[in-house]
Amino acid sequence: MMQTVGIALLGVGTIGSAVLRTIAAEREALAQRTGFALEVRWGLARHPERVVQAGLPEWAATTSIDPILEDPTVAVVVEAMGGEEPAATYLKRALTAGKHVVTANKEALSKHFAELVDTARRHQRALLFEASVGAGIPLMASLRQLLMVNRIYRIRGIVNGTTNYILTVMAEEGMPYQEALREAQRLGYAEPDPTADVEGYDAAYKLSILASLAAGRHIRPDYVERRGITTVTPDQILDARARGGAMKLIAQAELFDGSWHLSVQPVFVPGSDLLAHVRLNLNAIELTGDRVGTVVLYGPGAGPAPTASALIADTIDAVRFGAALLPTLELPA
């Protein structure tokens, strides 16, 4: 029997619009594969006309989250706004109102992880965030499965496609940093204000989420030792190539003597290391467990289509499994 799932979409920018397009294009196929008919009933944006431009009817547009929380036909709130606030407040309010929550927001999640998990647990609702790290790479699903049996003691990888693209073209085409950044912006890989990416904040948020899951407790992003790529010089790029390797922005979390040590910084990666060969805007993440050894996940770490894919898959899982997929996280008393 087909089940209709009412969805409210917070944010109808690049990612939110991709979610709407994907649902519209794949509605019948999704229903056949999953048994769920997805219906977007609300779109929240600062300007209602943006919601209409994204493809929803005028009556579905709202600038306030209140009608969404009061609508009993909305089962899942999908958040694609970005930024810490008001997104973090909206996520908590949605969970408190009895809605499942799906988000791609690494900043809000990394800074409010314990609070959001606690709220979801108390109200027995799903909180899913596959799209927050690695976009379309099934990273959270893989990590969740590994953690059933393994103690994960090391996470290492390239988790920011913008900086990886910049470093790649600097090395392969000899572009100066500023020119490489402008090219990344032209292609849509970098924001007009690239600070979050190039200074390592984005990677730190993502590492915080992964490390929190591995540690079983909230490790805040300000605990991450962080240095961006703006300090990388052309001489370092040339020297890395001459030595057969590459400069990469590496995010790493490792367990030493019972304590987690987290860092995001540009480092030389030798050519014998798989990460040295991850090019352009792709991501690659190594997860090392005491039973399985090292598992490597590789793929597009950003982009509207991969991110929308993860958000929609999480929406279906939220309805299917509910709070059963909540992470095991030590919460404050």
Side-chain angles (χ1 to χ4, degrees):
M1 182 178 177
M2 192 70 64
Q3 179 181 345
T4 299
V5 177
I7 298 168
L9 183 61
L10 310 186
V12 292
T14 303
I15 301 303
S17 296
V19 170
L20 289 172
R21 288 195 302 271
T22 304
I23 290 176
E26 301 293 335
R27 190 185 311 276
E28 291 184 10
L30 285 167
Q32 289 174 357
R33 292 173 196 152
T34 68
F36 295 106
L38 305 183
E39 291 188 4
V40 181
R41 294 180 173 163
W42 293 95
L44 181 145
R46 281 194 293 266
H47 305 288
E49 60 270 20
R50 293 286 303 277
V51 177
V52 177
Q53 291 167 2
L56 287 176
E58 188 174 352
W59 53 260
T62 180
T63 59
S64 167
I65 197 171
D66 292 336
I68 292 171
L69 303 183
E70 295 165 2
D71 186 347
T73 71
V74 171
V76 184
V77 170
V78 177
E79 187 265 315
M81 300 171 64
E84 182 179 4
E85 290 294 353
T89 297
Y90 288 174
L91 295 176
K92 185 176 179 182
R93 289 188 63 194
L95 291 165
T96 302
K99 315 296 185 185
H100 298 304
V101 162
V102 170
T103 181
N105 192 328
K106 60 263 183 183
E107 181 176 3
L109 189 63
S110 68
K111 292 180 178 179
H112 300 270
F113 200 20
E115 179 186 9
L116 290 170
V117 170
D118 180 48
T119 304
R121 189 176 295 173
R122 284 188 289 106
H123 294 277
Q124 282 300 289
R125 288 297 178 264
L127 172 65
L128 296 177
F129 43 90
E130 183 68 73
S132 66
V133 185
I137 302 172
L139 181 55
M140 299 304 166
S142 300
L143 185 54
R144 186 164 55 239
Q145 184 184 57
L146 291 174
L147 284 168
M148 290 181 190
V149 180
N150 290 262
R151 185 184 191 189
I152 302 297
Y153 60 87
R154 191 182 191 211
I155 300 164
R156 173 176 176 266
I158 295 166
V159 297
N160 182 272
T162 300
T163 51
N164 201 53
Y165 176 86
I166 291 170
L167 292 173
T168 299
V169 297
M170 286 177 70
E172 295 183 2
E173 301 180 27
M175 277 191 192
Y177 169 77
Q178 289 296 339
E179 186 179 342
L181 172 58
R182 285 194 296 271
E183 183 66 8
Q185 290 170 322
R186 185 185 70 81
L187 293 170
Y189 298 152
E191 298 291 335
D193 179 358
T195 303
D197 290 318
V198 300
E199 295 294 351
Y201 290 102
D202 176 86
Y205 297 149
K206 294 171 179 176
L207 186 64
S208 163
I209 294 167
L210 295 175
S212 295
L213 291 171
R217 61 180 176 83
H218 187 190
I219 301 178
R220 294 182 55 83
D222 52 16
Y223 184 75
V224 181
E225 180 186 341
R226 176 191 52 78
R227 185 161 57 90
I229 67 167
T230 54
T231 59
V232 177
T233 67
D235 286 345
Q236 287 176 306
I237 296 282
L238 290 173
D239 179 65
R241 291 207 76 186
R243 295 161 62 191
M247 291 296 296
K248 296 291 183 183
L249 186 71
I250 299 296
Q252 180 166 308
E254 194 159 13
L255 185 62
F256 285 119
D257 297 327
S259 297
W260 282 90
H261 300 264
L262 282 68
S263 66
V264 169
Q265 56 189 335
V267 298
F268 170 74
V269 180
S272 58
D273 191 321
L274 183 148
L275 296 182
H277 306 283
V278 177
R279 300 177 62 253
L280 301 175
N281 64 324
L282 295 171
N283 285 189
I285 301 97
E286 299 174 347
L287 304 172
T288 304
D290 57 353
R291 301 286 181 184
V292 74
T294 298
V295 173
V296 182
L297 296 154
Y298 170 85
T307 305
S309 172
L311 287 169
I312 294 168
D314 268 358
T315 297
I316 293 165
D317 276 350
V319 179
R320 182 179 284 156
F321 300 111
L325 296 181
L326 280 173
T328 303
L329 203 69
E330 180 183 325
L331 299 173

